């Protein structure tokens, strides 16, 4: 017997994604990411927490957002990359009672292949007052202050630190984190595609928009294919837990391909600080490290 499975998000996912998107649009508008990625976004934590959107992932009595719903939210967040630990807090509170009881944002310490000596990668660990959850999905753990460490500058948007601590993840929590990391990368890749198309329409060479050149058209078409493949892989990973790591790894790989192509379309401008495209690419590279580190633990 064939069983039909919907790949669409539920009402909760659609509502959450739409609302979070509206909050970000009102706060950021068309602001270039380079203007706020390091100095702080013009959106406060209260704009998200007062309405309870930091608890959107919490499941009670079998009711709550599915991972597919959270994928929708993560893609919206990834398209703007406001420098706030929103996705980290949503996942921490989804898998930790101690995190749910914490007032304010929460983060965790991830294993990264590039970090040696048992230290963890703590996204947004440099934010004053943020809590660090020591266990997710394990039935134990607490929220502690972030230990002293040193800045980790791969993802410039994430204000991360390296510190001698690692969060204990259950397999389910690790899988969900991998999928959400990939979903935020898909959102970032889709945003880059939009920027690439807009740039190709405006930038002129030899008196014509570069978007009229066949080679540029092919580049952008290939980028669109990469983004759609990544999106499909993330959805697949969100619906099939046993495929979560594989789907996330593939999705992030295609997002990085898309980002590199858009940077090529922009020429040397793609790597300039003012344009800010490298912020999205750095986010994807950090996500790849996170997924690989989690996958290696199981």
């Amino acid at each position: 017997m064939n069983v039909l499975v919907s790949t669409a998000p539920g009402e909760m996912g659609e509502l959450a994604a739409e609302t979070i998107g509206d909050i970000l649009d009102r706060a950021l508008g068309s602001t270039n990411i380079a203007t706020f990625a390091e100095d702080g976004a013009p959106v406060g934590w209260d704009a998200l927490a007062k309405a309870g959107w930091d608890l959107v992932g919490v499941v009670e009595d079998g009711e709550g957002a599915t991972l597919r719903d959270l994928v929708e939210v993560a893609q919206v967040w990834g398209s703007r990359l406001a420098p706030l630990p929103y996705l980290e807090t949503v996942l921490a509170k989804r898998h930790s009672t101690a995190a749910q009881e914490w007032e304010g944002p929460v983060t965790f310490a991830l294993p990264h292949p590039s970090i040696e000596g048992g230290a963890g990668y703590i996204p947004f660990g440099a934010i004053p007052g943020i809590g660090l959850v020591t266990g997710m999905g394990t039935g134990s753990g607490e929220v502690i202050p972030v230990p002293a460490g040193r800045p980790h500058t791969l993802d410039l948007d994430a204000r991360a630190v390296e510190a001698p601590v690692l969060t204990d993840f259950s397999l389910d929590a690790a899988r969900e984190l991998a999928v959400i990391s990939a979903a935020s990368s898909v959102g970032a890749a889709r945003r880059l595609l939009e920027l690439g198309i807009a740039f190709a329409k405006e930038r002129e060479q030899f008196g014509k928009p570069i978007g009229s050149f066949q080679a540029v058209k092919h580049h952008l078409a290939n980028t669109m294919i990469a983004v759609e493949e990544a999106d499909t892989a993330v959805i697949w990973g969100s619906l099939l837990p046993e495929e979560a790591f594989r789907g996330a790894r593939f999705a992030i790989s295609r997002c990085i391909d898309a980002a590199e192509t858009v940077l090529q379309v922009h020429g040397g401008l793609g790597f300039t600080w003012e344009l800010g495209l490298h912020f999205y690419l750095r986010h994807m590279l950090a996500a790849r490290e996170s997924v690989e580190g989690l996958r290696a633990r199981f």
Side-chain angles (χ1 to χ4, degrees):
M1 180 177 65
N2 293 326
V3 178
L4 296 178
V5 178
S6 174
T7 59
E11 291 184 7
M12 182 177 292
E14 292 179 344
L15 174 62
E18 181 180 356
T19 304
I20 296 300
D22 287 344
I23 291 172
L24 293 176
D25 285 343
R26 288 197 300 270
L28 303 179
S30 58
T31 306
N32 187 321
I33 187 174
T35 65
F36 62 74
E38 286 198 307
D39 297 329
V43 53
W45 181 254
D46 285 349
L48 300 165
K50 276 189 175 180
W53 289 114
D54 58 329
L55 298 170
V56 68
V58 176
V59 177
E60 294 182 344
D61 300 324
E63 298 292 330
T66 65
L67 181 56
R68 175 65 186 92
D69 291 333
L70 296 184
V71 161
E72 207 72 8
V73 175
Q75 289 198 16
V76 170
W77 193 266
S79 69
R80 305 310 295 273
L81 289 186
L84 289 172
Y86 177 65
L87 296 179
E88 289 77 11
T89 300
V90 167
L91 284 169
K93 295 190 174 186
R94 180 177 176 87
H95 290 283
S96 168
T97 302
Q100 293 173 28
E101 297 171 351
W102 180 265
E103 291 290 336
V106 192
T107 188
F108 33 71
L110 293 161
H112 267 209
S114 61
I115 300 177
E116 299 178 350
Y121 170 81
I122 307 174
F124 299 98
I127 291 182
I130 192 169
L132 173 68
V133 64
T134 61
M136 287 176 55
T138 59
S140 62
E142 57 183 336
V143 179
I144 63 174
V146 175
R150 63 179 183 179
H152 190 287
T153 57
L154 175 57
D155 186 351
L156 295 170
D157 175 77
R159 292 167 170 72
V161 299
E162 296 178 25
V165 61
L166 285 171
T167 298
D168 185 19
F169 293 92
S170 69
L171 177 56
D172 286 344
R175 284 170 167 171
E176 291 202 353
L177 177 52
V179 169
I180 293 304
S181 296
S184 67
S185 295
V186 173
R190 187 169 282 120
R191 174 64 174 163
L192 281 177
L193 175 59
E194 294 171 355
L195 293 172
I197 292 172
F199 182 81
K201 290 179 178 179
E202 297 173 0
R203 180 74 170 181
E204 291 190 358
Q205 289 291 334
F206 310 111
K208 296 181 180 180
I210 63 171
S212 66
F213 302 148
Q214 197 76 0
V216 176
K217 290 180 180 179
H218 287 167
H219 275 319
L220 292 174
N222 288 335
T223 300
M224 183 182 70
I225 292 171
V227 173
E228 292 305 315
E229 289 178 344
D231 185 29
T232 299
V234 164
I235 294 173
W236 174 51
S238 74
L239 298 174
L240 300 171
E242 67 275 13
E243 300 294 348
F245 288 130
R246 184 157 65 136
R249 293 173 72 207
F250 177 83
I252 293 172
S253 176
R254 294 303 281 141
C255 288
I256 291 172
D257 292 340
E260 290 176 342
T261 302
V262 171
L263 288 171
Q264 290 180 31
V265 169
H266 281 78
L269 295 174
F271 287 97
T272 61
W273 196 269
E274 291 78 10
L275 203 59
L277 302 188
H278 62 293
F279 286 98
Y280 298 98
L281 177 57
R282 284 171 172 264
H283 177 74
M284 298 170 193
L285 295 173
R288 182 174 64 184
E289 288 281 293
S290 295
V291 172
E292 291 297 341
L294 288 168
R295 175 177 169 271
R297 294 176 70 90
F298 295 98

